[in-house]
């Protein structure tokens, strides 16, 4: 995207009027009072003049070229203006008006028409259903926000305009600013990814924040975020079933599954925020502080109780209470009173004045065992609140170690807190929330030194049976027949039990006789969805037992399907030391891995198999394409890995072979993107082999 | 406790001086300016007069009787004053001074001496290491808090004085008040339980809040809280290992295990808060609102995005998004614009003024499908912030349905928020935190209609082998020999496999011959702590196999223990459809169930057994004594219960028999409180029976 879209040299505002309460007027007002130094053209046939400027009946009446047109008129007359924009050859359009995709079918068609026309004319579009945008670097406020802030270094991209207004209202109170804020609305053209790329390369922006209900191109988003040089903070509501319904009625978007979003956000190494307040706090912190380099936190407090609360939360959020160096302890010992605690959490005692804080913070700042410092103050009798704040500000200005401050209270602490805020010191009255934020920042930093980014083109594909697969595609999801499944699995070196599919008992017995014990099953094709049907006989050990079971199974299949001589699947029986589940789901259509394919692609799930899959839900997710290392990490995060790694004197299982299988499954899924769902349960894992015993592949276009 | 302790008619303050920065002076000042209408006696030999009042050299020089003495002098001279208090026959003492148990051994002895002397003299004690107390009902502020609030209806009991000051500082800003605030410090005499009982019966108090690092008498606390007529809100930091260390250096307390605390707090049906801010918010809410009667929440918003955040969190915190009644939907439809959402979350749209809020809230208030109402406002262009707040206040004053308000922002919303606060409407800028609070309140309410409270005296005990058990007690924890364990288990009808303990192979074979398959093991006595020793042979099916294994086991036991003919345990082998783990730990000493026994008693753990016990940690806890119903609830909260209840067509297992076993175990533990740890893994569960296969009982005094 060209940066000009957020920095046009001239803007026409369609619908601008003299009514100060109208959105169009507010936008014009914001633009002018914000100090925009390009040309501004109010367009409204009803007026000769608006806010002291000549008003035009339409854009075609304006003689000069126009860079950008901002449309603030009812939805049903927007298309007409869009046609004029095309005729006028403007460069970009911002549609503020609501009444499009978010209102239903009719609105969706209208929106698609407009977007298509603009695209063909090579005109970029922000919106519709947008609050507009603010570019504080170039003094452009083309929004109807009631407030704007000063310049800052955070770029905020939001799918919700109201969310922008709430964040702006918080920021105003704190003198906290943004470089840009873009309300992308229904995202008919420009969506988050282009803006992320833009801001990642913008020297005025040091971090990017996102409010996203639906990722327009998940695969691309992950790649962009992985490559980003700046922290990206994301709030992505809409994970619950009910929320998905609400989103759909609100922006017409189709939300991704919770598993996909959380896996994607983690893979993309963004900082995931769980509430608007947390998003805001994270923005504030990253805007003026370095990110902690590690998990070790020193806690300095003037009261024992809050120190204990901090200690609990440091454990809860996977951080480490620093073991202070001997030097630090000695120095603390030499300056603090006897009753003070020189161990972390450092308790300066209730009569601590600013000097004790000053000393303790300075000592910790110089201790290599400390990655970040949490300063806690309770307003006790002689506590020097402002004095302590002053000391903290001084140290903050010269240290590279992040300092987090919790002054507990609200009334007496106010002057101290105001001072801290003025100098961009992170401050909160909530110890737990603060430590949660430290935890998120540390995790972000840990992941920043990333392994190589794997792209689809890096994966060696093979799709000899693509014709067979495509022949099976229908408009609905269908199960792939066992023989094609077998071919595809073998093509990708995914071990399955030795097996035969035959309607003839002689062939079946010939196969089985040297392989007992065996298993017999109905084939997927015949009985895929009949889960209550007894379609599997395990552990058959003799020919006579085999005959009995074979006829029994044949009869019951015939009864249900009407086929007199159905195919029967006979497999050697594999006994594993552990049963593994490997599943996959595709998000996006089957063109997902091609250039224009949008969505997140396949999400592989791995965890404990057998009946406990559903009971313990010990499942971790892998968003492909990815590296073997990431697969290992997901596997190691399952509890199953405790068994695989050898538990309580039991042998280690064939972990490397399981990883081979995961890599092969990745190749298979990318080779056959028609696979929409894969279900392998169980994969049998022994000390030296791994076998996919029961594989079901479902396809859809 | 006599209420007089917080409402004395006369108070002497030891150490009061003319130095306005000294704690003693501040206390005197607070007492006088707070409006105490009893007699006040400054005591300090250095002065003739303090703050315009005659100062006495010591309390014995005061002619009148003294109700309460407040001691604010260095720790080492406190005992002397205590002696004088005894001589003077005062009724109660408040020791503000620090320097006791929290500083180590010496301080602990000093504290214990003082407490003992006072107890013998029948004088009650608050502290030491206390901020003092505030009784706003009778205008007594005997504390050195820098701030006090107006009267309120929450009683706050805190083990941390600094925590009191932080909460007071928050409350001052909000004009939020307390009935009482007691800083119990080191709790040498008066601790939380007595105060809970007191405030539960105090008509000026409607809810009780607690900051507790260590429960002085857990069993009693649970009983009191279960019986309490008022909500009890608890913050109980110190669950992490590191925090336990910190607590010990801070108040000298020994913290309970995390499992015990959380189980106790849940059984006691208190509202557990996880941060100081949350504690404060909960206090504010319960002080002036009814608690939601159920899970169903209606969300009213002027923006889609925040509505989605709310929806996500309603699911996350186990609440239900109300399915609005048809009547409500129709009424909403008739007054809201077309583009609005009349489904929950109700989206009033960005141009909503106060009237739309007013109507929507009123409709929801009259809908039986709504238990509480969450009102969200974002400050959009024409949003009527104060007007909306006014409407909410009006409805709040006449409705019995709880209303929670989230105005998102900070600057423009301020006037609205201030108005809401003035009228005690719950307001927050954090949707997630608010919904979390609703979740906690709803859970509290659900549990309030409690099953009968079970007390130790309700349990039928039996302890025929108490002599044998007591004979085994040493100063260390020891394992109870298998034969005594067997006797005790049989005494309490806890089924174990048929078994024999013998050193003679002939006897062993005689036992086994009609019972194959059998299991042979070393006895607990010999090899309890040798976990790497192969001490179990499973599934022995023939006499010759038996002989081989018997000799093998005997030889290896001999090698380790030196006993040439060791006892061997032979059991019938039980194959279960599920393996269950049942464990127990005692907190408190073995007098725990007697009158003076302090601690929480036994905590039973139940969950999946076998090797997966440690892997999945699918364990729930039961604090005894309790009802079968509560045991069932704990069991049903394990994932194991999915298997027990019959999963995927598998048979249901003998759940009632498992509950019988739990009840019998409860009887056994109360009959033999010497049992400090119990470990049964596995308990084999089949369709019709339950057998405790491997039982280890450890005892300690």
């Amino acid at each position: 995207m060209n940066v000009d879209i957020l920095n046009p040299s001239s803007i026409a505002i369609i619908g601008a009027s003299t009514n100060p309460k109208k959105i169009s007027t507010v936008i014009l007002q914001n633009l002018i009072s914000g100090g925009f130094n390009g040309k501004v053209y109010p367009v409204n046939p009803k007026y000769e003049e608006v806010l002291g400027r000549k008003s035009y009946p339409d854009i075609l009446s304006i003689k000069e070229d126009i860079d950008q047109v901002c449309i603030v008129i009812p939805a049903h007359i927007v298309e007409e203006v869009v046609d004029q924009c095309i005729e006028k050859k403007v460069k970009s359009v911002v549609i503020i008006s609501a009444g499009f995709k978010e209102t239903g079918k009719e609105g969706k068609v209208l929106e698609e028409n407009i977007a298509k026309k603009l695209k063909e004319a090579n005109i970029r579009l922000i919106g519709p259903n947008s609050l507009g945008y603010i570019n504080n670097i170039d003094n452009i406020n083309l929004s109807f926000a009631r407030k704007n802030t000063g310049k800052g270094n955070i770029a905020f991209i939001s799918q919700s305009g109201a969310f922008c207004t709430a964040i702006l209202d918080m920021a105003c109170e704190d003198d906290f600013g943004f470089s840009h804020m873009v309300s992308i609305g229904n995202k008919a053209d420009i969506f988050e990814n282009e803006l992320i790329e833009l801001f990642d390369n913008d020297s005025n922006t040091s971090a990017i924040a996102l409010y996203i209900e639906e990722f327009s191109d998940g695969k691309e988003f992950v790649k962009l975020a992985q490559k980003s040089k700046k922290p990206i903070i994301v709030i992505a509501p809409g994970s619950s079933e009910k929320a998905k319904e609400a989103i759909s009625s609100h922006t017409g978007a189709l939300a991704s599954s919770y598993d996909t979003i959380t896996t994607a956000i983690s893979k993309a190494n963004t900082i995931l925020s769980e509430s608007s307040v947390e998003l805001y706090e994270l923005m504030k912190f990253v805007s003026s502080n370095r990110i902690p380099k590690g998990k070790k936190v020193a806690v300095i407090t003037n009261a024992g109780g809050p120190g204990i609360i901090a200690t609990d939360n440091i454990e809860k959020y996977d951080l480490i209470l620093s073991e202070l160096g001997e030097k630090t302890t000695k120095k603390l010992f030499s300056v603090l009173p006897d009753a003070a605690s020189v161990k972390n959490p450092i308790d300066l005692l209730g009569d601590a004045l600013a000097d004790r804080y000053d000393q303790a913070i300075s000592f910790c700042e110089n201790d290599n065992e400390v990655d970040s410092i949490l300063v806690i103050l309770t307003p006790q009798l002689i506590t020097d609140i402002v004095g302590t704040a002053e000391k903290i500000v001084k140290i903050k200005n010269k240290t590279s170690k992040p300092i987090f401050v919790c002054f507990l209270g609200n009334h007496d602490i106010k002057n101290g807190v105001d001072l801290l805020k003025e100098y961009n010191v992170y401050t909160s009255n909530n110890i737990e929330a603060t430590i949660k934020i430290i935890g998120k920042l540390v995790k972000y930093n840990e992941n920043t030194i990333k392994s190589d980014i794997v792209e689809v083109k890096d994966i060696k594909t093979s799709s000899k049976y693509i014709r067979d697969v495509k022949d099976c595609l229908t408009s609905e999801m269908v199960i792939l027949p066992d023989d094609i499944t077998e071919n595809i699995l073998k093509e990708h070196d995914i071990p399955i039990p030795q097996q035969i599919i035959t309607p003839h008992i002689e062939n079946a017995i010939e196969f089985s006789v040297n392989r007992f014990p065996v298993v017999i099953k109905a084939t997927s094709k015949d009985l895929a969805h009949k889960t209550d049907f007894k379609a599997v006989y395990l552990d058959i050990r003799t020919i006579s037992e085999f005959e009995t079971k074979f006829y029994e199974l044949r009869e019951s299949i015939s009864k249900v399907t009407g086929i007199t001589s159905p195919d029967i699947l006979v497999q050697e029986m594999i006994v594993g030391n552990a049963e593994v589940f490997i599943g996959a789901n595709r998000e996006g259509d089957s063109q997902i891995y091609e250039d224009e394919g949008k969505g997140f692609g396949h999400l592989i799930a791995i965890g404990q198999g057998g009946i406990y899959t559903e009971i313990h839900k010990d499942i971790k997710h892998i968003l492909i394409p990815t590296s073997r290392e990431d697969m290992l990490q997901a596997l190691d995060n399952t509890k199953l890995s405790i068994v695989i790694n050898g538990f309580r004197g039991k042998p280690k299982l064939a972990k490397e072979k399981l990883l081979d299988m995961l890599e092969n499954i990745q190749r298979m899924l990318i080779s056959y993107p028609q696979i929409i769902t894969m279900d392998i349960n169980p994969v049998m894992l022994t000390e030296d082999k791994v076998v996919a015993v029961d594989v079901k592949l479902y396809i859809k276009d």
Side-chain angles (χ1 to χ4, degrees), chain A residues 316-476:
Chain A
K316 180 171 174 185
Y317 292 108
D318 197 24
L319 295 163
I320 295 167
L321 196 68
S322 295
E323 293 277 348
L324 299 175
E326 203 181 328
K327 239 188 190 167
T328 309
T329 315
K330 270 191 187 154
K331 283 192 280 183
L332 285 167
F333 194 76
S334 72
V335 301
L336 295 181
D338 283 357
S341 164
V342 298
K343 274 185 67 184
N344 197 8
I346 301 164
D347 187 349
L348 307 175
L349 301 183
D351 60 346
L353 297 176
D355 57 332
R356 280 192 213 157
Y357 275 102
D358 186 28
Q359 290 162 326
I361 300 171
S362 302
F363 299 159
C364 289
E365 197 227 322
N366 289 310
D367 189 329
N368 287 331
E369 290 303 305
V370 175
D371 297 316
S372 51
I373 300 170
L374 173 61
V375 182
I376 299 172
L377 175 145
T378 55
Q380 299 193 50
L381 195 53
I382 59 166
T383 307
D384 181 4
I385 295 165
V386 172
T388 304
E390 280 166 357
K391 296 287 188 190
I392 295 172
V393 166
K394 250 192 197 158
I395 298 176
K396 197 251 174 187
N397 284 339
K398 63 185 177 75
T399 180
S400 65
K401 250 173 218 173
I403 299 178
F404 298 81
V405 179
C406 290
F407 279 15
L408 304 185
N410 198 348
H411 187 278
D412 281 5
I413 60 160
K414 197 161 277 179
N415 289 339
V417 168
D418 286 347
L419 185 75
L420 293 168
K421 281 186 181 168
E422 195 183 328
Y423 289 93
N424 295 321
V425 177
Y426 180 91
T427 168
S428 161
N429 72 340
N430 193 328
I431 295 173
E432 195 200 353
T434 302
I435 294 175
K436 193 173 177 185
I437 281 178
I438 301 177
K440 291 189 173 195
L441 294 167
V442 168
K443 203 174 154 210
Y444 163 76
N445 184 65
E446 276 176 356
N447 292 341
T448 300
I449 311 139
K450 284 192 205 89
S451 58
D452 288 343
I453 296 166
V454 177
E455 299 193 31
V456 170
K457 62 178 168 49
D458 304 328
I459 309 291
K460 218 177 127 192
T461 57
S462 165
S463 49
K464 284 192 277 182
Y465 306 98
I466 193 77
R467 211 45 276 152
D468 297 340
V469 170
K470 286 193 171 169
D471 284 349
C472 297
L473 286 171
T474 70
S475 61
E476 291 296 299

Side-chain angles (χ1 to χ4, degrees), chain A residues 184-378:
Chain A
I184 49 183
N186 291 4
K187 312 196 281 186
D189 174 21
I190 290 173
F191 56 91
E192 58 278 11
N193 289 359
E194 240 176 320
L195 293 168
I196 290 171
E197 216 171 349
L198 175 72
F199 297 134
D200 196 32
N201 293 309
D202 171 25
S203 60
N204 293 301
T205 297
S206 66
I208 302 164
L210 281 171
Y211 171 102
I212 294 289
E213 290 166 12
E214 162 228 34
F215 289 86
S216 298
D217 185 344
K219 199 159 47 82
E220 187 69 20
F221 166 75
V222 171
K223 207 156 67 183
L224 279 170
Q226 280 185 308
K227 289 180 183 168
S228 165
K229 300 172 289 294
K230 298 171 185 173
I232 299 176
I233 310 163
V234 179
I235 184 166
S239 60
S240 62
E241 285 308 314
K242 285 281 172 195
K244 280 181 200 162
E245 283 174 33
I247 288 179
S248 149
S249 78
H250 154 56
T251 55
L254 202 72
S256 293
S257 78
Y258 177 72
D259 291 334
T260 304
I261 295 289
T262 49
T263 309
I265 282 175
S266 153
K267 183 174 175 186
N269 193 26
T270 63
I271 306 171
L272 180 61
S273 159
E274 284 151 271
S275 75
S276 50
V277 174
E278 191 180 73
L279 179 81
Y280 178 67
E281 296 289 319
L282 281 163
M283 291 196 291
K284 269 205 310 187
F285 182 84
V286 299
S287 79
S288 60
N289 291 279
R290 303 215 186 153
I291 285 171
K293 290 224 167 96
K295 290 185 171 185
K296 293 176 280 186
V297 184
V299 179
I300 298 166
T301 174
N302 69 344
I308 287 161
I309 294 179
T311 305
D312 274 346
N313 283 296
I314 283 173
E315 189 170 291
K316 180 171 174 185
Y317 292 108
D318 197 24
L319 295 163
I320 295 167
L321 196 68
S322 295
E323 293 277 348
L324 299 175
E326 203 181 328
K327 239 188 190 167
T328 309
T329 315
K330 270 191 187 154
K331 283 192 280 183
L332 285 167
F333 194 76
S334 72
V335 301
L336 295 181
D338 283 357
S341 164
V342 298
K343 274 185 67 184
N344 197 8
I346 301 164
D347 187 349
L348 307 175
L349 301 183
D351 60 346
L353 297 176
D355 57 332
R356 280 192 213 157
Y357 275 102
D358 186 28
Q359 290 162 326
I361 300 171
S362 302
F363 299 159
C364 289
E365 197 227 322
N366 289 310
D367 189 329
N368 287 331
E369 290 303 305
V370 175
D371 297 316
S372 51
I373 300 170
L374 173 61
V375 182
I376 299 172
L377 175 145
T378 55

Side-chain angles (χ1 to χ4, degrees), chain A residues 89-153:
Chain A
K89 295 199 165 81
V90 309
K91 285 187 191 144
S92 60
V93 169
V94 178
I95 304 180
I96 303 294
S97 322
F100 292 90
K101 191 171 72 169
E102 80 280 9
T103 59
K105 247 186 206 169
E106 230 171 286
K108 196 175 171 215
V109 171
L110 195 58
E111 180 173 321
E112 284 169 354
N113 277 345
I114 289 170
K116 196 173 160 225
K117 278 185 177 176
L118 286 169
K119 194 172 181 187
E120 281 166 5
N122 216 8
I123 299 172
R124 302 307 306 270
L125 164 64
I126 293 177
N129 193 15
S130 160
L131 182 82
Y133 69 85
I134 299 172
N135 167 354
N136 281 324
I137 305 303
D138 302 298
N139 300 318
I140 306 175
N141 180 356
L142 191 75
S143 82
F144 63 97
R146 33 194 307 163
K147 279 266 164 311
N148 188 17
T149 61
K151 272 189 186 80
N153 57 10

